[in-house]
Amino acid sequence: MAPFHLWLTLLLLGSVCASAVHPRKLKRFGGVRRFTATSEPSSDLPPEYEIHYYTQTLDHFNYYPDSYATFQHRYILNYKYWGGANTSSPIFVYTGEEVDVTYDVETFIIDLAARFKGLLLYIEHRYYGESMPFGSEEQAFQNASTLGYLSSEQALADYAQVIVDVKKNLSAENCPAIAVGASYGGMLASWFRLKYPHIVIGALASSSPILYFDDITPQNGYHVVVSKDFRDTSESCYNTIKQSWSEIDRIAAEPNGLTTLSNKFNVCSPLNTTQELKDYLEIMYISAAQYDNPPNYPVESTCSGIDGAPEGTDILGRIAAGLANRFRGFVSCNNVFTFEISNKSAWDWQTCTQIVMPIGYGYNETMFQSEPFDIKNYTKDCLDVFGIVPRPHWMTTEFGGHDIKTVLGKFASNIIFSNGLRDPYSIGGVLEDISDSVVAVYTEHGAHCLDIYPPAPDDPVWLIAQRVKEIKIISAWIAEYYAKLATK
Amino acid sequence: MAPFHLWLTLLLLGSVCASAVHPRKLKRFGGVRRFTATSEPSSDLPPEYEIHYYTQTLDHFNYYPDSYATFQHRYILNYKYWGGANTSSPIFVYTGEEVDVTYDVETFIIDLAARFKGLLLYIEHRYYGESMPFGSEEQAFQNASTLGYLSSEQALADYAQVIVDVKKNLSAENCPAIAVGASYGGMLASWFRLKYPHIVIGALASSSPILYFDDITPQNGYHVVVSKDFRDTSESCYNTIKQSWSEIDRIAAEPNGLTTLSNKFNVCSPLNTTQELKDYLEIMYISAAQYDNPPNYPVESTCSGIDGAPEGTDILGRIAAGLANRFRGFVSCNNVFTFEISNKSAWDWQTCTQIVMPIGYGYNETMFQSEPFDIKNYTKDCLDVFGIVPRPHWMTTEFGGHDIKTVLGKFASNIIFSNGLRDPYSIGGVLEDISDSVVAVYTEHGAHCLDIYPPAPDDPVWLIAQRVKEIKIISAWIAEYYAKLATK
């Protein structure tokens, strides 16, 4: 397997938290593999997972005859733990994110189902996996007209239709449904509770930066957290990284500078530009921070390499040693790649339309060089690739976010916003209780979606405690629901 | 003016409560004129009403390039009472219903604005009045493809965009907005509060049958209430009406029966069918009940005519006398008309797509002959006229309604569902408090949207009390909002 594929595999493994930072640069991150879900879409799921297809409405909100077009929408049921409709046992609904839904079947949601005798219902997000409008991926991605039906509102309405249909088919109308999602899927879970409270009684939204839109969260927040993660781990590591950028520039300006850099970083193919190297390094740092997961803790292992290089090693030598230490045994050379926005990527489409997270940072605000968020360039890229102009303010108009504590203080109920503060996305998450039942459950040391990973024997106590707290809260929702049901 | 026009004028006067019962039969009802709003769309509003146009997104939820098409969306501002942005004075948002918005400027909302130093913002519903996508009514109504963007979800998103824009333009971000609407517009007001709680702090939804969808409300509810209204007014009147249908059938079966009936009912043009007469009479009864408003109380005046006919008058003679008494001085003959579903009616489009209220009644359930709701015929009509198949279950999936007390008991806040129990639509309204702040405020004697009509000197005490109660509740919302604002 070529190093490139190794890289991609590595990056995609933790796909429960597929997610995007720079749409220009990054499509999706994955951390260290910690659970048994396959790294490829799989039709070889364990036999308790039943794959179903719902004939889904392509366009829920318009009524021209074309909109009555439908597509086969994939969802998965697992009855293994379910107490059944007779006992009004709950339904745990995984609100699929930007990935093939079969990636995500084995997550913490199974523990929830086991504990509460829950039915497992995983719903794929339209335009991912097999849930392709227009019959095939090729057709769906043909152009902006066929991609147009890819939006969060349509996906939420899809979920509503599927849940209502599944409940009806199982005569499970009295069974309380609870949405569970991670990263973008967690945003969808919380929005689903907000917009469809009649369909789910609550939502567990893990690592969902619902406030990273418009001007709610400081643009540099993401990289500020990455920098803090490194600094908290090692001041010298942080300083080395901070100094490395100008060092790269200095060497690049020398004769044969790119060759020198190529050798220093043991790249698989010679560098074409310094920017390529910088982008690559940035991806390495931010992915380490976002998925700074036990037991390998990539920030720690990167810094160990940087700090532990033999005395006298120069700055870039230390950086290279950091990378080598992080990926020891996985890769033989650094395959420097830059993700480009692609008209074959559904997530890129979403970031070019409504999921506009204004992530950028100025000079000296982080351990990175300056790279302000530039909506003009962003728009230009989207126009070039999709012929579409992003709507950067729409998400806050549609889903809110500004002044969320006042707005939802007396509105809404039963939402857990869980986060790990080492996750740079946590800065755009809900980190404060909004009310008695719209609550923030975070850990100081956790990373992106860590609570949604399946529990492992060597989990740290703070992670175990986070999940216990979530279970306790969900248990109260269900108990309250049953109490109401009993009075009917 | 021909009698026909007189009729229409009469029916349209109370357009604050434009609304539909049988999409097959009725487009819009109006009661007795009680306020000074014009009965025609007007550009001659008093000078304090400023007409504005917002460049509105045609399709909020899809992103194919075409969806970036825009249209000029009309809204009206009235600053007369406003305390200004400096004092964070409120904004009262009239969520326009299925009618030209200029009809509705002079309603109870003015009293609210005057009392709370509120800005008045009236937003027209897309595809009504001047808010026509595709440049003109002719273009907008061309076919199902151009009409397709007419949906409640799109209208709510329109309102969100306009409110956000108006607030921004006036630096009024801190001004609490409150949605006010009546009939379908009240449904929109309550849904707006449910789906966009970050944009309005509360909603006054008058006579909004949000539960008259799917299987939530008994189908015969509307006509059961009409029958009750008549029976409560006069048992003999009710009995006469109940007997009249078979009497019509009996006479129609005689030689020259239709001519006999035409004469008996003093019709302007000879009847073509008995059904025509029956439909007309039904419209007269249900409109009397729906708009059984002071000071004329059409149910009472109809029954006075029926009961007060000279002794010995036969059943149909009494019915004719009832009509004559109700409309004395307005019409010289009965212009029997039946509304037909029309591809030029935006409301008909809405009833043929998502606003499917299953209103019908079986044998001996009401004072009417049997006319069950028949989704097959309903669908056939919609297919014939628009080429579209209704989605009768969508509204409850999108907006809820089933088991509303449990669902919203701990979710949502600050909604007033106001009703008058003589209004047959009230049977599909929320008539029970859902929580401390999602409340039902109804009057025994009130009719459709009566509280939203502008207060008049001769208003009965119970109506005055209803409005006082609403003001008190809204006052608490605003006070609570200011208290929170002060702590920021």
Side-chain angles (χ1 to χ4, degrees):
Chain A
M1 197 185 267
F4 179 75
H5 289 108
L6 267 178
W7 265 116
L8 266 188
T9 304
L10 200 71
L11 283 166
L12 289 170
L13 285 177
S15 57
V16 60
C17 276
S19 133
V21 184
H22 284 283
R24 266 194 315 112
K25 285 187 192 162
L26 305 175
K27 286 205 297 194
R28 184 176 295 148
F29 283 165
V32 180
R33 179 170 181 165
R34 297 198 60 236
F35 57 99
T36 55
T38 52
S39 61
E40 292 290 323
S42 171
S43 54
D44 299 330
L45 291 171
E48 64 263 33
Y49 294 95
E50 282 184 9
I51 293 191
H52 294 260
Y53 295 88
Y54 176 75
T55 299
Q56 188 59 269
T57 308
L58 179 60
D59 189 343
H60 299 279
F61 307 113
N62 296 312
Y63 290 86
Y64 38 88
D66 285 348
S67 78
Y68 284 58
T70 55
F71 67 97
Q72 291 308 298
H73 185 192
R74 182 166 61 165
Y75 66 91
I76 300 172
L77 286 173
N78 178 346
Y79 295 95
K80 185 173 169 185
Y81 309 99
W82 198 35
N86 289 345
T87 50
S88 300
S89 293
I91 301 172
F92 289 91
V93 181
Y94 192 85
T95 51
E97 76 280 4
E98 72 279 23
V99 74
D100 183 300
V101 74
T102 60
Y103 276 127
D104 289 339
V105 294
E106 301 201 2
T107 56
F108 177 50
I109 198 173
I110 291 181
D111 297 74
L112 293 173
R115 175 148 327 222
F116 296 107
K117 297 193 176 169
L119 174 65
L120 285 160
L121 165 57
Y122 304 84
I123 316 181
E124 193 159 63
H125 193 295
R126 54 167 60 196
Y127 287 86
Y128 294 92
E130 291 186 5
S131 297
M132 288 294 160
F134 304 102
S136 70
E137 190 166 348
E138 200 189 340
Q139 291 296 315
F141 284 75
Q142 214 170 4
N143 55 45
S145 292
T146 56
L147 273 168
Y149 305 92
L150 170 51
S151 72
S152 298
E153 296 93 325
Q154 298 282 8
L156 293 172
D158 290 345
Y159 297 163
Q161 296 259 70
V162 170
I163 298 168
V164 167
D165 189 64
V166 165
K167 278 188 160 191
K168 195 178 155 207
N169 293 342
L170 299 175
S171 303
E173 283 87 351
N174 277 338
C175 298
I178 292 169
V180 178
S183 197
Y184 168 54
M187 289 155 69
L188 292 171
S190 64
W191 291 334
F192 194 75
R193 172 65 184 153
L194 288 174
K195 298 280 191 184
Y196 297 87
H198 47 290
I199 297 182
V200 290
I201 67 159
L204 168 56
S206 174
S207 299
S208 311
I210 60 164
L211 306 181
Y212 222 136
F213 291 104
D214 221 337
D215 57 355
I216 306 175
T217 296
Q219 298 192 345
N220 66 15
Y222 184 97
H223 290 80
V224 165
V225 174
V226 175
S227 304
K228 184 178 182 303
D229 288 349
F230 276 83
R231 193 169 200 168
D232 286 352
T233 301
S234 158
E235 182 82 23
S236 59
C237 171
Y238 163 85
N239 281 323
T240 307
I241 294 169
K242 196 169 181 189
Q243 290 159 27
S244 68
W245 311 107
S246 57
E247 191 60 14
I248 291 171
D249 291 334
R250 193 185 61 75
I251 293 179
E254 291 176 354
N256 298 316
L258 275 180
T259 308
T260 311
L261 289 170
S262 295
N263 293 334
K264 263 196 176 302
F265 284 94
N266 182 29
V267 296
C268 306
S269 339
L271 294 169
N272 297 305
T273 64
T274 21
Q275 194 55 49
E276 208 174 62
L277 175 63
K278 287 180 179 174
D279 287 351
Y280 174 78
L281 290 173
E282 185 192 341
I283 291 173
M284 291 306 109
Y285 300 137
I286 67 181
S287 64
Q290 186 168 319
Y291 294 98
D292 196 28
N293 292 349
N296 296 324
Y297 295 108
V299 173
E300 175 70 40
S301 66
T302 304
C303 281
S304 290
I306 289 175
D307 290 341
E311 223 181 295
T313 308
D314 64 9
I315 289 173
L316 298 190
R318 286 182 182 278
I319 299 293
L323 288 181
N325 196 51
R326 178 177 170 195
F327 294 114
R328 190 163 28 203
F330 287 108
V331 291
S332 55
C333 58
N334 282 306
N335 188 71
V336 173
F337 63 94
T338 304
F339 283 118
E340 293 283 343
I341 174 176
S342 155
N343 65 2
K344 296 293 170 224
S345 158
W347 183 248
D348 286 351
W349 169 266
Q350 291 192 259
T351 63
C352 272
T353 49
Q354 55 181 194
I355 313 278
V356 180
M357 295 194 173
I359 292 175
Y361 41 97
Y363 177 73
N364 231 3
E365 295 174 351
T366 70
M367 68 181 193
F368 302 95
Q369 285 182 317
S370 148
E371 186 170 335
F373 177 74
D374 180 345
I375 188 67
K376 277 188 193 158
N377 277 342
Y378 192 107
T379 301
K380 189 184 168 302
D381 285 353
C382 294
L383 265 173
D384 287 351
V385 173
F386 291 113
I388 206 110
V389 175
R391 287 206 274 158
H393 308 296
W394 173 244
M395 292 310 257
T396 51
T397 299
E398 176 68 11
F399 295 109
H402 286 107
D403 199 15
I404 193 170
K405 198 163 176 179
T406 307
V407 168
L408 298 187
K410 247 187 73 187
F411 193 98
S413 61
N414 298 5
I415 303 176
I416 300 170
F417 290 102
S418 69
N419 277 284
L421 297 194
R422 292 185 81 80
D423 172 15
Y425 272 129
S426 67
I427 198 82
V430 176
L431 297 176
E432 200 186 353
D433 287 355
I434 285 175
S435 68
D436 281 355
S437 76
V438 179
V439 296
V441 176
Y442 60 84
T443 59
E444 193 113 357
H445 303 290
H448 199 56
C449 313
L450 193 56
D451 55 334
I452 297 299
Y453 284 69
D458 54 350
D459 280 335
V461 285
W462 48 263
L463 176 57
I464 294 168
Q466 185 182 29
R467 293 201 188 103
V468 166
K469 195 167 179 187
E470 291 166 7
I471 286 169
K472 206 175 147 192
I473 294 168
I474 291 170
S475 177
W477 298 346
I478 294 174
E480 188 179 22
Y481 174 84
Y482 286 148
K484 275 187 198 154
L485 193 65
T487 65
K488 276 200 279 190
Chain B
M1 194 185 268
F4 180 74
H5 290 108
L6 267 177
W7 265 116
L8 265 190
T9 305
L10 201 72
L11 282 169
L12 288 170
L13 285 178
S15 58
V16 62
C17 277
S19 132
V21 184
H22 283 284
R24 267 194 315 112
K25 286 189 192 160
L26 304 176
K27 285 208 293 195
R28 185 177 293 151
F29 283 167
V32 180
R33 179 171 182 165
R34 297 198 61 234
F35 57 99
T36 55
T38 52
S39 62
E40 291 291 323
S42 171
S43 54
D44 299 330
L45 291 171
E48 64 264 30
Y49 293 95
E50 283 184 8
I51 294 191
H52 294 260
Y53 295 88
Y54 176 74
T55 300
Q56 189 59 268
T57 307
L58 178 61
D59 188 343
H60 299 279
F61 307 113
N62 296 314
Y63 290 85
Y64 37 89
D66 285 349
S67 77
Y68 283 58
T70 56
F71 66 96
Q72 293 307 297
H73 184 192
R74 182 165 63 165
Y75 65 92
I76 300 173
L77 286 172
N78 179 346
Y79 294 95
K80 186 171 169 186
Y81 309 99
W82 199 34
N86 290 343
T87 51
S88 301
S89 291
I91 302 172
F92 288 92
V93 181
Y94 192 85
T95 50
E97 76 281 4
E98 72 280 23
V99 75
D100 184 299
V101 75
T102 60
Y103 277 126
D104 288 339
V105 293
E106 300 200 3
T107 55
F108 177 51
I109 198 173
I110 291 181
D111 297 74
L112 293 174
R115 176 151 321 226
F116 295 107
K117 297 192 175 170
L119 173 65
L120 284 161
L121 165 57
Y122 304 84
I123 316 181
E124 193 159 65
H125 193 295
R126 56 167 59 195
Y127 288 84
Y128 294 92
E130 291 186 5
S131 297
M132 288 295 161
F134 304 102
S136 70
E137 190 166 347
E138 201 189 340
Q139 290 296 316
F141 284 75
Q142 214 170 3
N143 54 45
S145 291
T146 57
L147 273 168
Y149 305 92
L150 169 51
S151 73
S152 298
E153 296 93 324
Q154 298 283 7
L156 293 172
D158 290 346
Y159 298 162
Q161 295 260 69
V162 169
I163 298 168
V164 167
D165 189 64
V166 166
K167 280 189 159 192
K168 196 178 154 205
N169 292 343
L170 300 173
S171 302
E173 283 88 350
N174 277 338
C175 298
I178 292 167
V180 178
S183 196
Y184 169 54
M187 289 156 68
L188 293 172
S190 64
W191 291 333
F192 195 74
R193 172 65 183 152
L194 288 175
K195 298 280 192 184
Y196 296 87
H198 48 290
I199 297 184
V200 291
I201 67 159
L204 168 56
S206 174
S207 298
S208 310
I210 58 164
L211 306 181
Y212 223 137
F213 291 104
D214 220 340
D215 58 355
I216 306 175
T217 295
Q219 298 192 345
N220 66 14
Y222 184 97
H223 290 80
V224 165
V225 175
V226 173
S227 304
K228 183 179 183 303
D229 288 350
F230 275 83
R231 192 168 203 170
D232 285 352
T233 300
S234 158
E235 182 82 24
S236 60
C237 171
Y238 163 85
N239 281 325
T240 307
I241 294 170
K242 196 169 180 191
Q243 291 159 24
S244 68
W245 312 107
S246 57
E247 191 62 12
I248 290 171
D249 291 334
R250 193 187 60 77
I251 293 180
E254 290 176 354
N256 298 316
L258 274 179
T259 308
T260 312
L261 289 170
S262 296
N263 294 334
K264 265 199 176 297
F265 283 95
N266 183 30
V267 296
C268 305
S269 340
L271 293 168
N272 298 306
T273 65
T274 20
Q275 194 56 48
E276 210 173 60
L277 175 63
K278 287 180 179 174
D279 287 350
Y280 174 79
L281 290 172
E282 185 192 343
I283 292 173
M284 292 306 108
Y285 302 136
I286 68 180
S287 64
Q290 186 168 318
Y291 294 99
D292 196 28
N293 293 349
N296 296 324
Y297 296 106
V299 172
E300 174 69 41
S301 67
T302 303
C303 281
S304 290
I306 288 174
D307 290 343
E311 223 180 293
T313 309
D314 64 11
I315 288 174
L316 298 190
R318 288 184 180 276
I319 299 293
L323 289 182
N325 195 52
R326 177 175 170 195
F327 294 113
R328 188 162 30 202
F330 287 106
V331 292
S332 56
C333 57
N334 282 308
N335 188 72
V336 173
F337 62 94
T338 303
F339 283 117
E340 293 283 342
I341 174 175
S342 154
N343 64 3
K344 296 294 169 222
S345 158
W347 184 247
D348 286 350
W349 170 266
Q350 292 191 259
T351 62
C352 272
T353 49
Q354 54 181 196
I355 313 279
V356 181
M357 294 194 174
I359 292 175
Y361 41 97
Y363 178 73
N364 232 1
E365 294 173 351
T366 71
M367 69 181 193
F368 302 94
Q369 285 183 317
S370 149
E371 187 171 334
F373 177 74
D374 180 344
I375 189 65
K376 276 189 194 158
N377 277 341
Y378 192 106
T379 301
K380 188 185 169 302
D381 285 352
C382 294
L383 263 173
D384 287 350
V385 173
F386 292 112
I388 205 107
V389 176
R391 286 206 273 159
H393 308 296
W394 174 244
M395 293 311 257
T396 50
T397 299
E398 177 66 11
F399 295 110
H402 286 106
D403 198 15
I404 192 169
K405 197 161 178 180
T406 306
V407 168
L408 298 186
K410 248 188 72 187
F411 193 96
S413 60
N414 298 3
I415 303 176
I416 300 169
F417 290 102
S418 69
N419 278 285
L421 296 194
R422 291 185 83 82
D423 172 16
Y425 272 128
S426 67
I427 198 82
V430 176
L431 298 175
E432 199 185 354
D433 288 354
I434 286 174
S435 67
D436 282 353
S437 75
V438 179
V439 296
V441 176
Y442 60 84
T443 59
E444 195 115 356
H445 302 291
H448 198 55
C449 314
L450 193 57
D451 55 334
I452 296 299
Y453 284 69
D458 55 350
D459 280 335
V461 285
W462 48 263
L463 176 55
I464 294 168
Q466 184 181 30
R467 293 200 188 104
V468 166
K469 195 166 179 187
E470 291 165 6
I471 287 168
K472 206 174 146 195
I473 294 168
I474 291 169
S475 176
W477 298 346
I478 294 173
E480 188 179 23
Y481 174 84
Y482 286 149
K484 274 187 199 155
L485 194 65
T487 64
K488 276 200 277 189

